[in-house]
Amino acid sequence: MAMIALKCPNIQVVVVDISKPRIAAWNSDELPIYEPGLDEVVKACREKNLFFSTDVEKHVAEADIVFVSVNTPTKTRGLGAGKAADLTYWESAARMIADVSKSDKIVVEKSTVPVKTAEAIEKILTHNNKGINFQILSNPEFLAEGTAIEDLAKPDRVLIGGRETPGGQKAVEALKAVYAHWVPEDRILTTNLWSAELSKLAANAFLAQRISSINAMSALCESTGADVSEVAYAVGKDSRIGPKFLNASVGFGGSCFQKDILNLVYICECNGLTEVAHYWKQVVQINDYQKTRFVKRVVSSMFNTVSGKKIAILGFAFKKDTGDTRETPAIDVCHGLLGDKALLSIYDPQVTEDQIKRDLAMNKFDWDHPLHLQPQSPTAFKQVSVVWDAYEATKDAHGICIITEWDEFKKLDYQRIYDNMQKPAFIFDGRNVLNVEALRKIGFVVYSIGKPLDPWVKDLQVSI
Ligand code: UDX
């Protein structure tokens, strides 16, 4: 919305939320999320044509176009638990729009939703419409965190789906005109509603599938002596495959991939497509396998036990340049190590202690609910400490796990770190960002995903 405000000075944008602290943060000097370049964009338009308000009903009533970006968590109970999207928040948003509207409106699905959600929303709106005309559009967002501003300023494509009726097409044109302020026309794709809804799930499934494919290969590389980076490079040189999204890692995280695939699986099952559901589910299963495999490497290398040993966790965010921890692989890795009674010392340049402890105390899928529905007083983890410096985290540690690829981890003084650690000193690089040879020269026992194994790690191998 901030980008629309920046690129369309003639359009007034009001971002509304029922959470007072969140809106207050958007109106303050400390924005509530960390995203490179976002501060500048918000500050350039705030109070000019970009406003943040809790007066939801007033601004929705006045708007011509309403973008709905409420959360769509994975259901934790009832029909479709663990897979289907919970549309509670979407439904109440639609009912509120219907209640307060006094003029015709275009309602845009911005949240990622199951295919055919628009149909349900349309029913809610039209059954309560008091003679008002509502047009539903699907306009999924493809930005990635950490590069959001760049992705929004120069998108590969903007996708707008609408009804194939004159009213639907008019609404599509109206939204297209907004994006046409800065996006070249040939990059604005228009489709029917269901194609737009499904394309978002499909795009995320394809991206996640690439990561699971290379991660599956990484296990085979470790067994055969191949190097996953060399394999990825050679494979990616095929122009039909391309080089992006082939970095082997401890596993993908983030608010989208797992949730969207589970949702896709559920839709397939609901349509009787068992084999298709099974196929996509494997992408998530390989991701879980990769996280478990990493933990097993750590434990088996350290004489099959980490009980009472200090392990430094460097990085907690799901990727670099963000403070976002939703579905971060760090949570599963920490749980795995805590299960083996390790003592964890965690450092991330952007994630607070409160957030880390809340994440470690939370049940699966709870993160996508409002704060007051998440655990309020996280269990005091006696085994976990959160520190604000990588040197502090690694002091007296037996091992180090790199979980997020923050640039600063490449520049640390590893000799100094080694000197202050217990020996043998281990490093487990879950992101393949460190110089393995240099570390081995210092004296570290090193494990990197999908790379030829250190003789030490090889000798202590367990079945994984
Ligand atoms: C993703 C999609 O990229 C974006 O188009 C969609 O709108 C939202 O979901 P995001 O979750 O912000 O974006 O991050 P992304 O860069 O896709 O990374 C997702 C996860 O995959 C991260 O944990 C990342 O570290 C991991 N990853 C990515 C890999 O492990 N290897 C790779 O090669 C690329």
Side-chain angles (χ1 to χ4, degrees), residues 35 112 140-148 151 157 200 203-204 207-208 210-212 214-215 243-257 260 287 317-320 322 324 326-329 403-405 430-431:
E35 182 64 43
T112 303
E141 183 50 63
F142 295 104
L143 68 81
E145 287 178 36
T147 53
D151 295 345
R157 78 305 207 185
K200 170 68 186 182
N204 276 345
L207 288 168
R210 280 175 77 93
I211 303 169
S212 278
I214 199 68
N215 282 345
K244 294 183 184 164
F245 259 68
L246 288 179
N247 291 324
S249 66
V250 58
F252 60 71
S255 62
C256 293
F257 284 174
D260 290 354
N287 198 48
F318 83 101
K319 64 177 192 181
K320 74 171 182 176
T322 172
D324 194 343
R326 291 175 291 175
E327 297 288 356
T328 173
I403 306 295
T404 314
E405 71 281 23
R431 295 288 183 171

Side-chain angles (χ1 to χ4, degrees), residues 1-2 21-40 42-43 46 52 143-146 148-149 152 321-326 350 355:
M1 292 304 114
R22 186 175 299 171
I23 289 298
W26 282 108
N27 279 321
S28 76
D29 286 337
E30 281 288 308
L31 301 188
I33 59 169
Y34 171 68
E35 182 64 43
L38 180 63
D39 263 52
E40 290 77 2
V42 169
K43 284 172 190 165
R46 201 165 54 188
F52 296 91
L143 68 81
E145 287 178 36
I149 297 301
L152 288 166
D321 292 339
T322 172
D324 194 343
T325 59
R326 291 175 291 175
Q350 283 298 333
Q355 184 65 48

Side-chain angles (χ1 to χ4, degrees), residues 162-199:
R163 282 277 187 201
E164 288 152 307
T165 58
Q169 290 311 298
K170 207 170 142 211
V172 169
E173 289 307 315
L175 185 55
K176 202 172 161 184
V178 173
Y179 286 105
H181 279 79
W182 79 98
V183 181
E185 201 136 326
D186 59 349
R187 293 198 174 202
I188 308 179
L189 317 182
T190 57
T191 64
N192 74 29
L193 264 174
W194 327 126
S195 302
E197 285 181 340
L198 183 56
S199 299

Side-chain angles (χ1 to χ4, degrees), residues 1-3 5 13-17 19-20 22-28 31-32 38 41-43 45-56 59:
M1 292 304 114
M3 185 57 78
V13 179
V14 188
V15 178
V16 293
D17 197 298
S19 161
K20 287 202 167 95
R22 186 175 299 171
I23 289 298
W26 282 108
N27 279 321
S28 76
L31 301 188
L38 180 63
V41 175
V42 169
K43 284 172 190 165
C45 345
R46 201 165 54 188
E47 302 301 324
K48 290 186 188 125
N49 65 331
L50 175 65
F51 302 88
F52 296 91
S53 167
T54 49
D55 199 346
V56 180
H59 294 292

